[in-house]
Structures are given as structure tokens and as C-alpha cells.
Amino acid sequence: RPALVAVAQRRAREAGRGEFDAASTVIIGDSLEDVSTAKEGGARMVGVAGGTTTAEQLLEAGADVVLGDLTDTDQLLRVLAGF
């Protein structure tokens, strides 16, 4: 799965969306596999502790930020703007 980060970055570049690197690529996910994909693939990670993985587990695995859920769009946008 980490290789998919580079694929997405390339496709965005080819679509004229600009350059994407670790500082400008964000993965949002709720599993430890999502965290490792982000870290190994070269992306920032927003963990969502709404599933079976706790906020503590996501942070310990390397998530940059953890949210309880995605119901607060303004909160998510603030987090993304902070990257």
C-alpha cells in the first residue's frame, strides 16, 4: 500500500494539480495499516479514532494528528491547514 502514495502524487501532478511531497500529501485513515502506509509512503497522517483502533494506538504508530471522528468539518480543515 505505501507505493500507492507515490501513484496518487504522480497522478495529481499529471492532472496539473501541482507537486506533491511528504509535506503536501495527507492520508486520513482509521487503522494502523493506514498510519504505516502514510509514513512509509511519504505522507502526513490524520488518524480517525472512530473504528477499532484507539487514538493512543494511532499516535503511538506515528499519526501526526488524531481526531475522534470526521463529523466536524471545520476541525478537519483547521488540521489540514496546519500542515
Side-chain angles (χ1 to χ4, degrees):
R1 287 180 57 186
L4 295 177
V5 176
V7 171
Q9 290 169 327
R10 179 180 48 80
R11 287 182 179 174
R13 183 177 55 255
E14 290 171 353
R17 304 287 187 207
E19 291 296 319
F20 288 86
D21 57 18
S24 59
T25 304
V26 179
I27 291 181
I28 300 171
D30 64 356
S31 73
L32 298 179
E33 187 174 8
D34 293 330
V35 177
S36 65
T37 294
K39 294 304 166 188
E40 292 174 33
R44 302 271 182 118
M45 173 62 187
V46 176
V48 182
T52 59
T53 309
T54 67
E56 184 176 281
Q57 289 171 317
L58 291 166
L59 286 169
E60 287 176 3
D64 296 296
V65 177
V66 176
L67 303 175
D69 57 42
L70 295 177
T71 58
D72 187 343
T73 305
D74 290 333
Q75 179 187 34
L76 176 60
L77 292 175
R78 283 190 303 276
V79 166
L80 295 175
F83 283 147

